[in-house]
Amino acid sequence: MRQRASLLVASVLCFGSLASADIYDVTVDTSSISGTAGSLDFNFNPGPLVSQFASLQLLNFTSDGTLAGACPCGTGDVSGQLPATVTLDNGTGFNDYFDGFTFGTTLSFDMSLYGPALSTPDGISTSGSTFAFSMFYDTAGTIPALTTDTTDGFAFTVDVNLDGSTTVTNYSAQTIVAPQTIATPEPNLSLVTTVLTIALLVFHLRRRVRS
Amino acid sequence: MGCAPGLVAQQYCVSGTATSGDSFFRVGDPVAITAMVTPGTVSCTTSPLTNGFNGSSTTCTGSDTINMTSGSQSWTVPYINPFFNGSYIQAYGETDLPDPTIGYLGGGFTIIAFQGQTALASPPQQPGASAIVGVFFYLFYPVNLLANGTLPSTIPTPAAVNSAASTYIQFAVSDVSDDIANDTASFSYAGQICAGTCASAINTALSGPTLAAGNTLINATFTPASGYSLAQAAQVCGFVNFDWQQVITSLPSPSPYKQVGNPTPLTAPPPFLDPPPRGYTFELTADNSYPLFYDPATQLVGPDLFQEDTYTLYFSDRPGDSCLFGGLGLACGGLTAPAGKQLAFTTHLVGIMAGCTAPVPITCVQDTGIGFSWASTFNWTSGGVSTTKNTSPSPPDPGGGTGGITITNVNTITTYNYPRSNTSPPLTLLVGQVSVVASGLAYSRVSQTFNGTVTITNISGNTIAGPFQIVFDSLTAGVTLTNATSKFGGWSYVTVPTVENLAPRQSASAAVQFRNPSNGTINFAPVPYSGSFN
């Protein structure tokens, strides 16, 4: 019984965290460089002062291009491998996923940002965190593609700000970064408590009926 | 005429009347007679000194003229001699000439002496005076004055003196034969003088810091170069005195330190001045040192045994924080900071600008950039309490404690120039007035740098005049700020672009770009300033 209650409480806590995730749908028209054997880079790093913990997931990666898959592709706090879900967090100074990629006509993925830096900004941190996505003409990742940012080569960046908001800066005319607003309502504590109470009562009554 | 390496040309124009042996006129004194130099062709010859002087001197003649005015009177000197490093000296009028007159012109500890005995054919006349005869001083070379400001009985040879000095003007007359007490002479001086720079007086003058007492005590001294006293070096730099200014860039929570009148424990970042206004609650007596390390009132009235003497400014500190890891957590409810947390300090030599008196406003403090950064993990107490700004020579309490001081950066070269090379307002430390935050750092495989922004926000109630600088104090070892404007205090800094002023709550950002070969965590303590570093 105590275990079931703990599970329910944990579910509520997880739900609260997920409710504040920022999700972006990313779509890139790569038709102009289709067939190019290039590369993709994703990194998510803290700032140089005090950053609150944040995580990021790359989901639903889809393309008619081909990932090289010459992994391990991650450096730092990175897990998973594209096209499956890849998770990065800002736990080290450099958290990067880099893989060779032969471009097709399009690629897309979802990007979900979550964690206390987004859900419960502490008000005392002094650095945000930043995600950057880049595409390259070459497999070494030195010649930027599909971006006006020829100096640094970013297609777009997403800043996690100190107030928990996010800011997208898009340098690529071929890239669409669309926020996906989650309509999931915040869990109402009284409602959860009521449901939990009813569940416990039902469970208790069933046990009494059986006995 | 250009100056020799290490010297700078400074334009002076002063005049006055000297009474033999004891009157001195310095740059900035009221000018009774103005003089204007019209540069012309000058030729110089070197010849042996005469009249009891040893060595040689350079005598220059030329077509230069000096136009002198006083009230409605004016006159012109057709040419002027002597000539030294581009400076022109005109002394005229000892009342009982033709006695040889010795005057001396110079600054700091080194004086340019000159002897004159030749009258002008058409001497300039001092308005309202009679029996005034102009004098050419044509023998001159530097000589050290005695402590009382008089010439030594034995004139050293030129090889033994420093011709580089002449940082302010002193003029006096002394009669070598008779009636010293009654002699007076007037003088004027105009033109450029090649003077030692502020930098030459204070660069490499920092000794230490050194650690003692099991690395729990840090000491340093500042003794100006070239034999300058603190007062002389201060004058060369446009200051009235020197002091230290210390910023605490890291003070983890829980913290045992509280500012007087504020129940909230102090933590950093954001950095704050050590001591804060009104001092710390652990201090036994009122501490009015802010915004300096030593009480400026004390500094201004005279030497202190542990702070300064005539030639040296001392620094000593022994912080102990029992709320650091491994400590007793006194005043922190028994809690301590996580392992790895430490106190961090940046200690700089600063000047109190001329015209400022105690209590010194923070806008009167000029940071020279000379100083050092250091950290402490010492977790014990002195006098039963945790202390920072602990200048007491007494040892920490017996019984234990772990950790110690580590020196992380030392810089002995200033970026400060005097006279100031631009019209920017004085450099002012903005801790407590401006907050600093940073974005995350996106890594670029193209530039191989970590890129982001640093943003300052005016959190004071007043508009702050720019320009604004952010010093990247304690930047992680091995990391470089590739787009730094320059360096200050040994640390890189960036100038916040385009913003001239910051109104209350207004923000401004600067792009930052780090090269980080290890790809490790990048960290620094931002220290904001307004004004210019040079």
Side-chain angles (χ1 to χ4, degrees):
Chain A
M1 180 64 195
R2 184 175 295 170
Q3 279 184 330
R4 290 184 184 216
S6 301
L7 278 172
L8 278 169
V9 170
S11 300
V12 170
L13 291 176
C14 287
F15 183 68
S17 175
L18 286 171
S20 61
D22 278 19
I23 298 182
Y24 291 93
D25 295 332
V26 181
T27 305
V28 188
D29 177 0
T30 60
S31 57
S32 63
I33 59 171
S34 179
T36 300
S39 51
L40 304 176
D41 184 61
F42 310 81
N43 64 75
F44 183 55
N45 304 319
L49 302 176
V50 179
S51 293
Q52 197 175 4
F53 187 76
S55 295
L56 177 150
Q57 283 189 326
L58 304 174
L59 307 152
N60 306 320
F61 183 90
T62 307
S63 175
D64 56 354
T66 308
L67 286 160
C71 294
C73 303
T75 302
D77 281 2
V78 181
S79 60
Q81 181 176 339
L82 294 176
T85 298
V86 171
T87 303
L88 303 92
D89 68 48
N90 65 352
T92 75
F94 182 53
N95 312 291
D96 182 81
Y97 187 94
F98 178 75
D99 195 7
F101 184 67
T102 300
F103 289 93
T105 60
T106 185
L107 72 83
S108 63
F109 59 89
D110 294 337
M111 181 180 59
S112 173
L113 289 148
Y114 59 96
L118 293 104
S119 59
T120 52
D122 58 15
I124 58 173
S125 295
T126 47
S127 271
S129 297
T130 299
F131 170 79
F133 171 63
S134 306
M135 296 168 282
F136 302 97
Y137 283 110
D138 59 331
T139 56
T142 60
I143 307 170
L146 305 181
T147 178
T148 57
D149 179 20
T150 54
T151 302
D152 295 315
F154 302 131
F156 72 90
T157 60
V158 181
D159 289 313
V160 178
N161 304 313
L162 294 173
D163 61 358
S165 65
T166 54
T167 304
V168 177
T169 306
N170 193 342
Y171 303 95
S172 171
Q174 294 79 13
T175 302
I176 298 171
V177 185
Q180 184 187 93
T181 305
I182 297 179
T184 309
E186 291 289 332
N188 183 301
L189 186 58
S190 60
L191 178 62
V192 171
T193 306
T194 305
V195 170
L196 179 62
T197 305
I198 293 170
L200 289 173
L201 282 172
V202 169
F203 177 74
H204 186 66
L205 287 171
R206 284 185 176 177
R207 278 186 59 183
R208 287 191 64 180
V209 168
R210 284 180 193 159
S211 61
Chain B
M1 172 175 286
C3 291
L7 305 180
V8 293
Q10 298 186 18
Q11 187 74 27
Y12 292 135
C13 180
V14 294
S15 64
T17 299
T19 301
S20 58
D22 58 4
S23 293
F24 301 91
F25 298 86
R26 299 187 177 193
V27 172
D29 283 351
V31 176
I33 303 172
T34 61
M36 181 176 69
V37 176
T38 304
T41 302
V42 176
S43 62
C44 300
T45 58
T46 300
S47 58
L49 296 177
T50 59
N51 300 323
F53 291 89
N54 299 316
S56 62
S57 80
T58 300
T59 301
C60 301
T61 60
S63 59
D64 294 17
T65 59
I66 289 184
N67 301 312
M68 309 181 76
T69 61
S70 177
S72 61
Q73 305 287 330
S74 65
W75 62 93
T76 299
V77 179
Y79 63 89
I80 192 69
N81 181 10
F83 179 88
F84 176 75
N85 270 350
S87 64
Y88 297 81
I89 303 165
Q90 170 71 13
Y92 55 97
E94 192 190 36
T95 53
D96 60 351
L97 286 175
D99 288 341
T101 299
I102 294 176
Y104 36 95
L105 169 72
F109 73 102
T110 303
I111 300 301
I112 309 302
F114 51 94
Q115 179 190 31
Q117 49 184 194
T118 303
L120 280 171
S122 301
Q125 298 296 307
Q126 185 177 39
S130 61
I132 299 296
V133 179
V135 177
F136 266 161
F137 298 105
Y138 66 96
L139 299 175
F140 52 96
Y141 62 92
V143 59
N144 292 335
L145 276 186
L146 299 177
N148 61 7
T150 62
L151 284 170
S153 57
T154 301
I155 304 297
T157 62
V161 298
N162 177 11
S163 62
S166 268
T167 51
Y168 62 92
I169 296 170
Q170 292 180 321
F171 182 86
V173 293
S174 65
D175 190 317
V176 297
S177 60
D178 59 17
D179 64 343
I180 290 176
N182 298 319
D183 284 350
T184 61
S186 297
F187 81 102
S188 67
Y189 170 85
Q192 287 187 338
I193 192 167
C194 291
T197 62
C198 175
S200 70
I202 66 176
N203 279 348
T204 68
L206 173 70
S207 294
T210 58
L211 303 181
N215 294 342
T216 63
L217 177 66
I218 182 170
N219 296 305
T221 60
F222 165 69
T223 304
S226 303
Y228 284 112
S229 67
L230 287 174
Q232 289 170 334
Q235 186 170 5
V236 169
C237 296
F239 303 146
V240 294
N241 206 351
F242 292 98
D243 205 321
W244 304 103
Q245 190 173 53
Q246 184 157 289
V247 177
I248 295 184
T249 56
S250 174
L251 171 53
S253 179
S255 163
Y257 308 121
K258 293 177 182 175
Q259 178 187 4
V260 170
N262 186 348
T264 304
L266 291 158
T267 58
F272 65 90
L273 279 170
D274 179 20
R278 301 183 301 280
Y280 296 101
T281 53
F282 69 76
E283 295 182 279
L284 299 177
T285 57
D287 187 345
N288 297 312
S289 303
Y290 179 90
L292 301 164
F293 190 67
Y294 290 132
D295 187 342
T298 303
Q299 291 289 87
L300 289 174
V301 299
D304 182 284
L305 282 176
F306 300 110
Q307 297 178 12
E308 71 172 65
D309 56 29
T310 302
Y311 289 95
T312 300
L313 178 69
Y314 299 89
F315 172 80
S316 182
D317 201 359
R318 190 205 303 265
D321 181 351
S322 77
C323 301
L324 290 178
F325 184 75
L328 299 175
L330 299 177
C332 298
L335 301 175
T336 61
K341 296 290 185 179
Q342 60 186 8
L343 302 180
F345 305 82
T346 288
T347 309
H348 279 186
L349 177 74
V350 297
I352 301 168
M353 300 183 72
C356 298
T357 55
V360 175
I362 196 167
T363 51
C364 272
V365 179
Q366 173 67 50
D367 193 330
T368 67
I370 291 173
F372 42 93
S373 298
W374 52 289
S376 173
T377 56
F378 186 53
N379 57 14
W380 207 240
T381 56
S382 289
V385 295
S386 296
T387 60
T388 181
K389 196 197 172 184
N390 180 8
T391 58
S392 167
S394 60
D397 297 329
T402 59
I405 294 171
T406 305
I407 297 164
T408 54
N409 183 58
V410 180
N411 180 59
T412 63
I413 305 298
T414 189
T415 54
Y416 170 71
N417 294 312
Y418 183 80
R420 292 178 63 81
S421 58
N422 56 45
T423 57
S424 296
L427 189 67
T428 301
L429 191 61
L430 292 178
V431 294
Q433 301 175 71
V434 162
S435 68
V436 185
V437 298
S439 70
L441 295 173
Y443 178 71
S444 165
R445 289 183 174 269
V446 179
S447 59
Q448 298 183 9
T449 55
F450 287 81
N451 305 320
T453 59
V454 176
T455 301
I456 58 173
T457 301
N458 181 356
I459 57 174
S460 77
N462 305 307
T463 296
I464 303 172
F468 298 95
Q469 326 288 344
I470 303 170
V471 175
F472 288 63
D473 194 299
S474 304
L475 183 61
T476 303
V479 175
T480 52
L481 181 65
T482 60
N483 68 330
T485 304
S486 187
K487 285 199 166 186
F488 179 71
W491 301 112
S492 296
Y493 74 89
V494 292
T495 300
V496 180
T498 67
V499 60
E500 294 182 356
N501 300 288
L502 274 183
R505 297 178 299 283
Q506 186 181 356
S507 297
S509 296
V512 292
Q513 198 169 47
F514 298 97
R515 193 169 301 284
N516 178 20
S518 73
N519 288 335
T521 299
I522 297 172
N523 203 256
F524 70 93
V527 183
Y529 289 85
S530 64
S532 175
F533 286 130
N534 49 42

